[in-house]
Amino acid sequence: MTILAIDIGGTAIKVGKISISGKLISFQEYENDGTKGGPVLIERLCEIIDGQKEYSAIGVSTAGQVDSKSGTIIFANDNIPNYTGTQLKKILEERYKVPVAVENDVNAAALGERYFGAGRSYQNFICLTYGTGIGGAIIINSNVYKGLNGVAGEFGHILVHPNGLPCKCGKAGCYESYASTTALLKRAKEVDMSFYNGKIVFQHYEEGYLPIQEIVHDWINEVAIGITSLVHIFNPPAIIIGGGIMEQRNLVDKIEKQVQSMIMSSFAEVKILQAALGNKAGLFGAASLHLSNIITQ
Ligand SMILES: [Zn+2]
């Protein structure tokens, strides 16, 4: 059985064929201008799928909030206007005559890690992705816990500093205003405008440049504050952290050390793990929507 896995983002559409054992058989990435809107995106998507052969199901990971039962986009922001309401599963099943499953990209990435990545030995864990904001997912018994409206796991908006920095959600003091990659870079750029990406910041950090060391230490502390609360709420065996910035192994170790110093001793067994699938996690997660019932748990 081969799954056609698709990952729809605001700026790119990734397509891969993935075997039942989790082998990536083929991979292509296409540019996508999400700002042209949902209908144009669907046209582009169908053009891409039309060129694909030999698959028995389609799994889709997409930006936006998804009702995964009906495979409908229930909310998408202005990165893809007029995408809200798109009945993605219905459209693709009618056109391609194969089973289609659709999931939100953050949840799909967590499922990808569950079945093919850092979470392979865990049925329960918490996933966090650090980037422009902070995305999160709760995996319980190998499924995504969704909450009442399907939006559980918005860890980026945990209140960590009452009356603190404004957040793009309209509130203030949210976790992502302090612990996202954007938050780190914002402070680094105040020191020097040339510190505009994580790589440059960590180069100066490793070299012992004091103003940056202070900023990075503060940031690691902020990252650990959010994780500490999650450890105390869920008592999970593992927390998987991803996003480009977490690809630095020693950073993950430092965060783990900081978290260990902040949690109660009865929670100390928790492991802080580096996400393993990078920017292909959503693609593997999309495939797992069909594989999860088949794979031995
Ligand atoms: Zn917020």
Side-chain angles (χ1 to χ4, degrees):
M1 187 179 182
T2 303
I3 315 290
L4 184 65
I6 297 166
D7 187 356
I8 301 171
T11 58
I13 296 176
K14 293 176 207 146
V15 179
K17 271 195 235 155
I18 296 178
S19 74
I20 194 165
S21 57
K23 190 166 173 269
L24 186 63
I25 299 162
S26 67
F27 175 75
Q28 293 104 29
E29 186 164 357
Y30 302 88
E31 277 184 15
N32 174 45
D33 184 359
T35 58
K36 287 184 179 164
V40 174
L41 183 147
I42 296 300
E43 251 176 63
R44 175 98 178 105
L45 180 66
C46 289
E47 263 173 42
I48 292 168
I49 301 176
D50 285 350
Q52 301 286 333
K53 291 190 185 84
E54 291 167 12
Y55 56 86
S56 45
I58 298 174
V60 183
S61 154
T62 177
Q65 292 171 4
V66 174
D67 174 0
S68 52
K69 280 205 183 84
S70 64
T72 304
I73 311 302
I74 49 177
F75 177 76
N77 65 21
D78 286 346
N79 292 335
I80 313 176
N82 303 318
Y83 193 34
T84 302
T86 303
Q87 294 178 297
L88 204 48
K89 178 180 159 78
K90 190 165 173 263
I91 292 169
L92 298 181
E93 281 186 343
E94 279 174 6
R95 189 175 171 110
Y96 298 104
K97 317 286 182 209
V98 293
V100 175
V102 185
E103 184 55 274
N104 152 270
D105 50 5
V106 178
N107 292 341
L111 288 170
E113 293 292 342
R114 160 64 187 92
Y115 289 103
F116 303 114
R120 264 173 305 182
S121 11
Y122 298 95
Q123 292 189 24
N124 302 293
F125 62 86
I126 302 297
C127 216
L128 289 143
T129 306
Y130 297 79
T132 321
I134 298 175
I138 305 160
I139 299 291
I140 297 179
N141 294 329
S142 302
N143 291 309
V144 178
Y145 173 77
K146 301 211 165 177
L148 177 63
N149 301 107
V151 292
E154 281 282 10
F155 302 138
H157 304 282
I158 293 175
L159 179 57
V160 286
H161 294 278
N163 307 316
L165 295 172
C167 179
K168 64 175 191 251
C169 72
K171 310 290 178 191
C174 295
Y175 182 43
E176 70 179 31
S177 300
Y178 294 84
S180 62
T181 307
T182 307
L184 170 68
L185 296 181
K186 195 174 162 216
R187 281 197 63 193
K189 277 190 277 194
E190 284 166 8
V191 173
D192 188 322
M193 276 307 284
S194 71
F195 297 164
Y196 59 87
N197 71 29
K199 205 172 163 194
I200 296 171
V201 169
F202 281 95
Q203 215 172 343
H204 286 82
Y205 174 75
E206 300 293 345
E207 286 165 5
Y209 180 50
L210 275 177
I212 285 296
Q213 284 210 317
E214 199 183 308
I215 287 170
V216 172
H217 282 148
D218 281 357
W219 179 74
I220 289 173
N221 189 50
E222 294 291 349
V223 171
I225 285 172
I227 295 177
T228 295
S229 287
L230 294 173
V231 169
H232 285 149
I233 294 166
F234 291 100
N235 187 21
I239 303 253
I240 297 177
I241 57 178
I245 203 149
M246 298 301 176
E247 281 171 22
Q248 300 172 88
R249 178 67 248 175
N250 64 354
L251 176 59
V252 178
D253 292 341
K254 286 192 173 85
I255 292 168
E256 176 157 47
K257 213 170 145 199
Q258 184 65 18
V259 170
Q260 283 294 345
S261 76
M262 292 163 93
I263 55 177
M264 293 163 70
S265 58
S266 43
F267 293 79
E269 273 177 72
V270 66
K271 299 266 185 297
I272 310 292
L273 305 173
Q274 187 178 34
L277 299 174
N279 64 6
K280 293 199 179 69
L283 211 58
F284 278 96
S288 82
L289 300 174
H290 292 288
L291 300 179
S292 55
N293 296 330
I294 304 163
I295 293 171
T296 314
Q297 307 228 338

